[in-house]
Amino acid sequence: MSANHSHTDPHTGPLTDASSVAVIGAGIAGLACTNVLTQAGQRVALFDKARGAGGRMSSKRRPDATVDLGAQAFTVRDDDFAAEVERWRGAGCIAEWPNAVYQASPSGWQPYHDGQTRYTGAPRMSAITRHLAETLTAQGAILYSATRITALTKTADGWELSCQNGDVFGPYTQVVITAPPPQAESLVQPWDNTLSSLCKHLPQQSCWAGWAVFETPLPTLPGVAPDWQMARAQHPALRLISRNATKPGRETEPESVSLIAQLDWSAAHLEEQSDAVAQQLFDALKSLFPALLAFPRVSDIGAHRWRYSQPAEDVDMPTEGFAIGRDGLALCGDSLRGGRVEDAWLSGYTLAQALLEERGSTVSPR
Ligand SMILES: Cc1cc2nc3c(=O)[nH]c(=O)nc-3n(C[C@H](O)[C@H](O)[C@H](O)COP(=O)(O)OP(=O)(O)OC[C@H]3O[C@@H](n4cnc5c(N)ncnc54)[C@H](O)[C@@H]3O)c2cc1C
């Protein structure tokens, strides 16, 4: 521990049988990684710059409603992820949603089916990451929220992590970074050229996510089920409309929509004020309804900018879906595997297994 600003961390001190691991980022990848490591008896400290776990699966509580600002729903393909999703179902933090999806354009709405089952967090997307964070802390992992890691330092005893207020955590034998590559790059750059170069080759796209809360429900559209849940928008600004009060556990909330912007539109409007962006996304929503239909009054409107929302198209991701560097540094997260909730979870999960294998440890049965 560094002298003046050292932080009391029960995970540090003399290392005994189990290694001490720092995981930077408590999104789904960091939580999945931590889960495997703690179950195998590793001591893990998890850091996130935000006030809680969740990352791009976070939800925003507004005075009257809760809106999901990142992922709205996710699919399941991999068997290990399917088993995990069953555990989430057992814990009551997910449900199937949506099953009434439309394709919406100013010229009309058509039902949309792609045959995929999707799930969402219940009663909000962040219920999943909250459940995981609570499980991990009960298993002995420590979550340091509101703690932005600004630098790593290699010492004779391991890695020390400096955070924004001058506190220093560590030493740790292993550091796993799950922050999107442009943010991870500044941490690894002084220490590992290969990881640093990988981060530079994994650019991210930005995305605005708006919301609006209404005083009364949206008007019923001719030929569209009144309880439609999600619409894929064919509009230059708007990509997806998600009706939050149709999500499981939010039935008593007033009508609210999450409005996910098109990626190229987001890039072109990246530095605009959030109020102006929210208004433009709201106008885009209105343009998908017939002009004659009276639109309900809005009680709350806003927009959140995800500077790093998903990997750019056509990037070469590592085949393993994670990267292990030198001297105990490693990277994981959706950006190294594919850009979806499932990819992020698998990236953290498989990295943790690879790290345990390197050390000759085994994953405990769940
Ligand atoms: C608008 C939007 C819509 C989406 N829709 C879908 C969808 O419908 N289906 C789907 O499957 N996926 C969707 N996704 C993608 C999905 O949300 C992500 O793939 C997944 O949540 C990424 O998880 P992660 O753990 O890799 O990264 P993140 O969730 O970004 O976690 C990284 C964490 O690191 C923290 N962090 C960063 N830097 C530091 C630092 N220096 N110190 C400490 N902490 C730090 C961040 O605060 C964050 O919590 C969507 C994403 C967005 C933005």
Side-chain angles (χ1 to χ4, degrees):
M1 304 275 268
S2 292
N4 295 332
H5 304 288
S6 63
H7 199 282
T8 307
D9 178 351
H11 282 172
T12 59
L15 297 176
T16 52
D17 53 333
S19 306
S20 174
V21 183
V23 175
I24 302 175
I28 194 75
L31 292 164
C33 183
T34 303
N35 190 25
V36 175
L37 295 174
T38 49
Q39 292 211 22
Q42 309 280 303
R43 294 173 294 158
V44 185
L46 185 56
F47 299 87
D48 205 291
K49 63 186 171 70
R51 273 180 300 166
R56 280 171 278 159
M57 291 175 74
S58 64
S59 310
K60 194 172 185 71
R61 284 176 199 257
R62 302 302 301 160
D64 297 322
T66 308
V67 292
D68 296 325
L69 287 181
Q72 303 294 313
F74 58 89
T75 49
V76 180
R77 295 178 185 128
D78 175 87
D79 287 347
D80 285 337
F81 186 55
E84 175 73 357
V85 168
E86 273 313 302
R87 286 187 280 275
W88 296 349
R89 196 204 287 272
C93 63
I94 59 155
E96 268 186 49
W97 181 95
N99 47 38
V101 183
Y102 282 79
Q103 191 120 289
S105 77
S107 57
W109 291 47
Q110 282 87 39
Y112 174 85
H113 303 286
D114 63 3
Q116 296 258 12
T117 302
R118 289 183 168 77
Y119 300 87
T120 194
R124 60 192 74 88
M125 190 50 105
S126 61
I128 301 167
T129 46
R130 172 182 282 238
H131 161 69
L132 291 174
E134 283 172 359
T135 307
L136 294 174
T137 46
Q139 288 168 354
I142 299 180
L143 170 60
Y144 295 98
S145 51
T147 307
R148 178 195 291 269
I149 303 304
T150 52
L152 309 181
T153 308
K154 190 159 52 177
T155 73
D157 297 325
W159 292 99
E160 289 186 345
L161 276 56
S162 305
C163 82
Q164 81 279 11
N165 65 2
D167 279 354
V168 177
F169 295 80
Y172 302 97
T173 52
Q174 176 75 54
V175 179
V176 171
I177 306 172
T178 75
Q183 294 171 314
E185 208 268 325
S186 64
L187 297 176
V188 296
Q189 188 273 328
W191 308 111
D192 192 317
N193 289 338
T194 309
L195 291 188
S196 172
S197 159
L198 175 64
C199 288
K200 286 197 183 91
H201 288 93
L202 294 172
Q204 302 290 299
Q205 301 184 86
S206 306
C207 180
W208 278 103
W211 73 85
V213 184
F214 299 96
E215 291 183 356
T216 53
L218 286 168
T220 302
L221 285 153
V224 175
D227 55 354
W228 65 272
Q229 297 165 319
M230 186 188 264
R232 298 158 66 94
Q234 291 178 324
H235 186 280
L238 191 55
R239 177 164 46 127
L240 195 79
I241 308 158
S242 165
R243 281 177 99 185
N244 290 302
T246 70
K247 292 176 180 171
R250 274 183 260 186
E251 296 84 356
T252 57
E253 292 189 357
E255 177 90 83
S256 76
V257 286
S258 298
L259 302 170
I260 310 301
Q262 299 281 4
L263 296 175
D264 51 355
W265 187 90
S266 296
H269 294 75
L270 194 58
E271 302 305 335
E272 281 185 21
Q273 295 293 314
S274 61
D275 289 354
V277 168
Q279 189 58 50
Q280 291 173 79
L281 292 176
F282 180 71
D283 291 343
L285 171 73
K286 271 177 88 170
S287 76
L288 297 172
F289 284 71
L292 290 175
L293 284 181
F295 225 62
R297 282 161 60 103
V298 170
S299 62
D300 181 31
I301 184 171
H304 175 84
R305 179 179 58 195
W306 295 103
R307 194 172 280 283
Y308 307 116
S309 87
Q310 64 182 76
E313 278 163 28
D314 301 328
V315 292
D316 279 335
M317 295 177 184
T319 45
E320 300 85 0
F322 56 78
I324 297 179
R326 294 171 46 194
D327 301 331
L329 290 183
L331 303 178
C332 69
D334 71 334
S335 316
L336 285 90
R337 193 179 166 109
R340 300 179 306 119
V341 169
E342 179 173 28
D343 293 310
W345 185 88
L346 279 168
S347 178
Y349 174 79
T350 50
L351 169 62
Q353 288 182 319
L355 292 176
L356 291 174
E357 238 168 69
E358 269 191 353
R359 294 161 190 213
S361 308
T362 51
V363 187
S364 310
R366 287 171 182 277

